[in-house]
Amino acid sequence: QEAEWPDTYCPDDPRSYELLFDVLDEYLEVMKPRMVHIGHDEWRMPTGQDPRCQGRDIREQFVEDIQKIHGYLARKGVGTALWGDHFLENLRGKHLKRQTSRTGYVYDMPGAITPEQVQRDIPKDIVVLNWFWNEKHGRTSGEATPTAGEINDEQLAKWGFRQVWGNLTPELGWQNYAARSARTG
């Protein structure tokens, strides 16, 4: 209740899903989408403050949350998309990181879920929106070394995800787009 971001819900509180699924039902009825983007980026919240989740692995909570929402949408014949940055440890790290907001609020930012969790527990029909495709590092003129962004693409493809590049910029010209867009997924 005291969270700086009161839009964060507790995945261990069943009321969170009562509200979420009620809102989703209304959205699905009105919009009739084939797919819903469920966000799941910028995962920042106070951890371990709710007695229901003290001692729980936050990565398991994240996975369970995705599974619940994906399952709900799948039962209604609707696909799921999300931002995939918390699938990659090279982007988000492996553990909680202590952060302080501009207003001085201290919280822990979760790192990524483990590669094993991604492979074992995340449904592969989820479409991953990839904002981390755009990396200049590792490529010099004429050099064939893959960039960090290409490595991220390859990892998602290896795990069996379809992906869509997000947050596009005019920089596509130097991103090896032709070869990368031919990749499976």
Side-chain angles (χ1 to χ4, degrees):
Q1 293 297 321
E2 292 77 32
E4 184 172 15
W5 302 287
D7 60 339
T8 302
Y9 62 83
C10 176
D12 286 339
D13 185 343
R15 295 174 300 171
S16 297
Y17 296 101
E18 290 172 19
L19 176 61
L20 175 61
F21 295 156
D22 183 50
V23 171
L24 270 176
D25 283 343
E26 186 172 336
Y27 176 79
L28 296 175
E29 182 181 328
V30 172
M31 302 301 289
K32 300 188 182 354
R34 291 180 294 173
M35 182 173 291
V36 172
H37 192 296
I38 64 171
H40 283 68
D41 61 331
E42 299 181 7
W43 180 21
R44 55 183 185 219
M45 65 210 186
T47 58
Q49 296 187 14
D50 187 323
R52 286 176 287 242
C53 58
Q54 284 184 349
R56 294 224 34 225
D57 183 336
I58 192 141
R59 295 169 300 189
E60 286 297 323
Q61 288 176 300
F62 186 75
V63 167
E64 290 168 8
D65 186 57
I66 291 171
Q67 290 172 335
K68 285 178 190 173
I69 298 168
H70 171 269
Y72 188 81
L73 291 170
R75 286 189 295 278
K76 299 200 172 264
V78 176
T80 300
L82 55 69
W83 293 110
D85 45 310
H86 285 285
F87 290 177
L88 297 167
E89 290 177 338
N90 66 311
L91 290 173
R92 291 299 184 184
K94 295 182 181 185
H95 305 289
L96 294 173
K97 294 171 279 204
R98 182 61 40 128
Q99 304 284 317
T100 303
S101 74
R102 288 185 301 242
T103 62
Y105 185 77
V106 178
Y107 65 98
D108 292 321
M109 169 133 357
I113 60 178
T114 67
E116 294 78 23
Q117 287 173 306
V118 175
Q119 293 174 75
R120 180 188 63 229
D121 300 329
I122 301 298
K124 300 308 176 276
D125 63 341
I126 289 176
V127 174
V128 176
L129 274 285
N130 173 345
W131 62 260
F132 36 86
W133 59 270
N134 186 357
E135 299 280 349
K136 297 178 188 178
H137 312 297
R139 183 180 296 283
T140 59
S141 61
E143 189 178 318
T145 304
T147 65
E150 287 175 287
I151 291 167
N152 294 336
D153 292 350
E154 290 168 0
Q155 187 62 61
L156 293 173
K158 180 178 137 188
W159 287 334
F161 291 105
R162 290 179 299 140
Q163 58 188 302
V164 175
W165 285 5
N167 297 347
L168 298 178
T169 67
E171 300 158 335
L172 282 174
W174 51 260
Q175 294 293 321
N176 196 17
Y177 182 75
R180 290 172 75 183
S181 64
R183 182 173 292 119
T184 301

